Amino acid sequence: MVNKQRGEVEIEGPEGKKYTMCLSLGAIAQMEEALGLESLSQIDTVMNKGRMRDVITIFLALLHGGGHDELGPDDMMKWRVPLRGLMEKIRECFV
């Protein structure tokens, strides 16, 4: 069960398994490093570009923030999540 007070958001992954995404300090650092951002305030610009590798980087960092460190970029290829739904879930983490 997710804790909305901590900024956690639930998303359904492969085979109906529930995963937690969270905008943790580690997730922020991971995104800044991987995307070459000076600060998290630049994330909107990245999201609006809609480049899939950037979206996957952000998604993966949020999953790691939710405790799913076992997931990597290759695992993301198995996810069948509608893009619009994924983007909404990602944005929920930043609210």
Side-chain angles (χ1 to χ4, degrees):
M1 189 164 153
V2 298
N3 182 343
K4 298 244 182 217
Q5 297 290 344
R6 290 188 52 210
E8 295 177 347
V9 175
E10 185 174 81
I11 190 166
E12 187 174 317
E15 300 174 11
K17 183 178 176 184
K18 303 291 183 190
Y19 290 85
T20 301
M21 302 186 319
C22 183
L23 185 62
S24 66
L25 292 176
I28 293 168
Q30 186 177 341
M31 284 183 261
E32 287 175 347
E33 178 70 25
L35 299 170
L37 304 176
E38 291 296 317
S39 73
L40 191 60
S41 64
Q42 296 172 310
I43 201 74
D44 247 357
T45 303
V46 172
M47 290 286 290
N48 288 333
K49 287 182 183 175
R51 292 180 3 178
M52 285 291 59
R53 77 171 169 217
D54 293 344
V55 171
I56 288 172
T57 297
I58 295 166
F59 183 36
L60 194 54
L62 292 170
L63 286 168
H64 289 170
H68 303 287
D69 295 326
E70 75 281 4
L71 296 173
D74 290 341
D75 296 309
M76 299 296 93
M77 301 307 166
K78 299 174 189 167
W79 286 62
R80 298 190 187 261
V81 179
L83 181 58
R84 184 179 193 154
L86 174 60
M87 297 296 273
E88 287 172 4
K89 292 287 187 179
I90 288 172
R91 289 198 188 278
E92 277 182 52
C93 291
F94 289 89
V95 174

